[in-house]
Amino acid sequence: MDHGSAGGDMGESRGGAADDGWDGLGCIELRHLRGFLAVADERSFTHAADRLRTGQPALTRTVRALECALGARLLDRTTRRVELTDAGRRLYADLAPLLPRLAGALRSSTGPAVLRLGFTSLLPAVCTALTADFEAATGAGVRLVRRDAPLAGLETGETDAAVLRGEIPPDAGLRSTLLLQEPRVAALSRTALRAPEAAAVRAVAHRRVLDWAELADLPLVVNTVTGTTRPELWPDGRRPRLACTAGNFDEWLEAVAAGHGVGVAPEPVAQRHTHPGIRYLRLKNAPPVPVRLALPARDAHPLAERLYALARRAPAPHPPAPRSVPGRTQGR
């Protein structure tokens, strides 16, 4: 169950039940808004409590107190799920960008300036030089923030700018500049090829190179949250079968190693995420993966604007050249 009714109190001075007697918006505190945002992000009181390093019962009381003060139910709770109500969605849309900016304003008054740069599974090597130039030009620091979310925390205000792979939805409210384009590689299991359903994968396991079109005949493992390869990239009527989905990079890696299907990923994955149960094969004729620096289209953090300007002044990215892939098999 994702919510409780007893336990710690997140530092509340009124005690366990006093919050239930709120009257008026003047009693709303920052911790109540933070608690609501965390539950809305995670869709789980348990996970949100872990993220905030507090007790689950205390978080439940905090959110209930906010609902009482507003006179509206913000979350629909069951033993299996937590969903936003219409009122909750409206509040979330307003608070998600506002609250992190408030926290950033408070931090900037008490310490050195820091830019929060979001990313998903791994940060491209090109960002090392970019962030070094940024620090030299601004005197500000860069804090790298990994978020297993399509926009790497930009949608929730947890990051000021983000490095994103793949296409950015046109309605995301972001602007971006291209940093580079990465080749794609195929990932196959080394150890799970004896299963009956792995016959199609077995047929190409000895190869060094695969053509992009050949993948249409193989079962595909897809990271539906931060992945860059989905069946829709192939022509209609000639697409791979979706064999398995994963919610983050680590799940994707283990699903491929377990032999559920073939994975496709940017080449840096093969360079930096070797796995004893996976071999990587070079792909030819595969569309490259665009890598962009993105920030909010409006009201972006001033430091994010500086980083964006530096990225736009960088040399235009060249088309990717084929490279050797670690862990691939030798041809026969």
Side-chain angles (χ1 to χ4, degrees), residues 101-114:
R101 288 179 63 82
L102 174 60
L106 296 174
R107 282 196 305 269
S108 66
S109 65
T110 58
V114 175

Side-chain angles (χ1 to χ4, degrees), residues 36 108 110 114 136 149 167 170 177 182-183 198 222 224 244 267 295 310 326:
F36 164 70
S108 66
T110 58
V114 175
E167 298 304 323
T177 185
E182 296 173 332
V222 172
T224 58
C244 176
E267 186 184 71
L295 69 166
L310 286 172

Side-chain angles (χ1 to χ4, degrees), residues 117-195:
L117 181 61
F119 67 102
T120 53
S121 57
L122 55 87
L123 199 64
V126 68
C127 290
T128 301
L130 178 61
T131 55
D133 290 345
F134 167 81
E135 291 175 339
T138 64
V142 175
R143 182 161 69 89
L144 300 179
V145 180
R146 173 176 169 171
R147 287 291 179 268
D148 288 322
L151 302 180
L154 280 176
E155 70 277 30
T156 59
E158 294 175 281
T159 56
D160 305 309
V163 178
L164 305 178
R165 286 181 169 84
E167 298 304 323
I168 299 175
D171 60 350
L174 305 178
R175 52 196 161 100
S176 66
T177 185
L178 186 67
L179 296 177
L180 73 157
Q181 297 189 81
E182 296 173 332
R184 282 180 162 94
V185 296
L188 288 75
S189 173
R190 289 180 179 274
T191 59
L193 295 178
R194 295 185 179 180

